[in-house]
Amino acid sequence: MSHVLRTLGTGVLAVQRSVSAVQLLKVGAQQRSRCDAVKDSQSPPFDEALLEVLVCPLSKKPLRYDGNSNELINEELGIAYPIIDGIPNMIPQDARMIHKTKAPEKPSES
């Protein structure tokens, strides 16, 4: 009998916790929507001083900032990392592939 009461008690506690978590999520969503309405239409600029310390997470090579597309470019791999609200998104899965310009290959002499 005490096992049933403990299980029942934990079930009720779990329900109370999940309800409070749902309420917190609703409140957080309301606060975010209020903040979004106040936000300017322009995002903060990218601080180009970060290029001194940022490298591509895949190749560990330096990146180039492209102001037109607001992306960090890895020329070697042909990957462009987006910059969102002034913050570089360095997650490889979120990067896009760009067309690399290949150097003309020299014909090998046999």
Side-chain angles (χ1 to χ4, degrees), residues 30-97:
Q30 289 171 351
Q31 288 176 346
R32 275 194 305 273
S33 65
R34 278 189 227 134
C35 292
D36 291 344
V38 174
K39 225 183 220 187
D40 291 339
S41 62
Q42 291 185 354
S43 62
F46 174 68
D47 183 9
E48 292 189 42
L50 289 174
L51 290 174
E52 296 176 14
V53 293
L54 287 178
V55 295
C56 175
L58 298 174
S59 69
K60 309 299 186 250
K61 301 284 182 173
L63 299 164
R64 176 180 60 83
Y65 173 63
D66 183 10
N68 294 332
S69 63
N70 201 33
E71 294 174 320
L72 295 178
I73 310 291
N74 178 329
E75 299 285 349
E76 183 179 287
L77 297 178
I79 298 175
Y81 296 98
I83 298 173
I84 303 165
D85 292 334
I87 302 169
N89 181 349
M90 304 298 289
I91 300 171
Q93 291 83 355
D94 293 344
R96 70 179 183 91
M97 296 298 292

